[in-house]
Amino acid sequence: MPLSQQLLLAATLTFVGAVVQALLALKSGAWKQGRAQLMLMAGGFVLQTAFIYLRGQEVGQCPMKSLSDILVFIAWSILLLYFLVGPAFRLSLLGVFTAPLISIMQIMALVGGFAPYAPKGKINALVELHAAVALIAYAAFALACITGVMYLVQERMLKKHRIGGLFYQLPPIQGLSNAIQRLVRLGLLLLSIALGISFALQTSVSNPKLVFSWVVWALYAVISILMWKHFTSPRKTAWLAVIGFILPFISLWIVTHA
């Protein structure tokens, strides 16, 4: 196994360890603002970054062409946004819900394998920027999905009167609802920028990747409007964020095999 993939495997095991550590800490009542978990997540992020760097050296460009590479790049972007928005939204438990998704995505990438890229001419920086911004937008939608899951979990605990260690670490339920809306808008803004770059590149409108990007943009534009106009309840807002991520996630398989 190449060094790059060894690093990715180590990163994946680190994220799995973060989940296990967090669950044990919550069960024992020893959770202290997730400091240990934060350190594990930071360590995993460093390993992810090292993998992306080495993988880029192997293929001679930013590794965002194969499905496995895209999954890792989105997982890396999710973690980057987690460090940026988690403290801002006071989502101390966001990592507990984020780490499993990242682990699954990276396991899928490792199972899928990392084949070399076909020879390519001069790299267009705008093309690379378009792809990177679009994938970071997908990461924002993924975080909105994860935050939606947190909302639904807390709501269910309230209804079932299951007040325990996990419940006390979750932020106010209204705060989760606001975080979902902000993350959806952030993702929509980033995807709009990516599509704007595609106009500058004069990309063919029949390009499968561009078509699905517009479909995803339209979906989240509708979701954003529904949230903005308060046409949906906070619970439905959470469900929209969770179910809405299915489309961009599935589209990754379609566009990489088109």
Side-chain angles (χ1 to χ4, degrees), residues 1-7 58 114:
M1 180 183 287
L3 176 59
S4 60
Q5 294 181 41
Q6 293 178 33
L7 290 171
E58 292 171 3
F114 296 88

Side-chain angles (χ1 to χ4, degrees), residues 127-171:
V127 173
E128 300 296 310
L129 180 62
H130 160 75
V133 174
L135 293 180
I136 295 173
Y138 280 24
F141 295 143
L143 272 184
C145 170
I146 294 168
T147 308
V149 171
M150 292 175 67
Y151 180 98
L152 295 171
V153 167
Q154 185 174 21
E155 183 193 50
R156 183 172 179 80
M157 293 175 73
L158 284 169
K159 287 183 177 180
K160 298 292 184 179
H161 302 290
R162 295 176 180 173
I163 311 301
L166 176 63
F167 177 85
Y168 289 120
Q169 297 302 327
L170 287 167

Side-chain angles (χ1 to χ4, degrees), residues 218-240:
L219 170 66
Y220 277 96
V222 171
I223 291 175
S224 181
I225 291 172
L226 291 175
M227 293 176 176
W228 176 46
K229 292 294 185 179
H230 302 291
F231 290 148
T232 59
S233 64
R235 182 173 183 273
K236 290 181 179 178
T237 294
W239 274 114
L240 282 173

Side-chain angles (χ1 to χ4, degrees), residues 4-205:
S4 60
Q5 294 181 41
Q6 293 178 33
L7 290 171
L8 183 62
L9 177 60
T12 305
L13 293 175
T14 301
F15 294 131
V16 172
V19 176
V20 174
Q21 183 278 329
L23 293 178
L24 291 176
L26 287 169
K27 185 177 180 179
S28 64
W31 180 272
K32 296 180 180 180
Q33 298 301 316
R35 293 176 183 175
Q37 187 213 34
L38 184 62
M39 292 179 64
L40 286 170
M41 297 290 280
F45 181 74
V46 171
L47 292 169
Q48 275 183 325
T49 305
F51 163 81
I52 291 175
Y53 173 77
L54 291 179
R55 178 63 176 161
Q57 294 295 310
E58 292 171 3
V59 299
Q61 57 186 288
C62 189
M64 298 182 294
K65 297 296 185 290
S66 70
L67 177 59
S68 293
D69 286 318
I70 288 174
L71 287 172
V72 175
F73 192 87
I74 292 178
W76 177 84
S77 301
I78 289 173
L79 196 52
L80 176 64
L81 291 177
Y82 157 74
F83 285 124
L84 293 175
V85 307
F89 294 155
R90 298 181 180 178
L91 303 180
S92 61
L93 273 184
L94 185 57
V96 178
F97 291 80
T98 301
L101 176 60
I102 292 176
S103 299
I104 291 171
M105 293 174 73
Q106 293 188 172
I107 289 171
M108 292 170 64
L110 286 165
V111 171
F114 296 88
Y117 289 1
K120 185 177 179 180
K122 185 178 180 181
I123 296 174
N124 188 326
L126 278 179
V127 173
E128 300 296 310
L129 180 62
H130 160 75
V133 174
L135 293 180
I136 295 173
Y138 280 24
F141 295 143
L143 272 184
C145 170
I146 294 168
T147 308
V149 171
M150 292 175 67
Y151 180 98
L152 295 171
V153 167
Q154 185 174 21
E155 183 193 50
R156 183 172 179 80
M157 293 175 73
L158 284 169
K159 287 183 177 180
K160 298 292 184 179
H161 302 290
R162 295 176 180 173
I163 311 301
L166 176 63
F167 177 85
Y168 289 120
Q169 297 302 327
L170 287 167
I173 199 165
Q174 185 59 42
L176 288 172
S177 179
N178 292 335
I180 292 170
Q181 296 180 48
R182 293 177 185 177
L183 286 167
V184 167
R185 290 167 187 160
L186 174 61
L188 189 60
L189 173 62
L190 291 170
L191 189 54
S192 298
I193 293 172
L195 291 172
I197 295 173
S198 72
F199 275 116
L201 294 168
Q202 297 182 335
T203 307
S204 172
V205 293

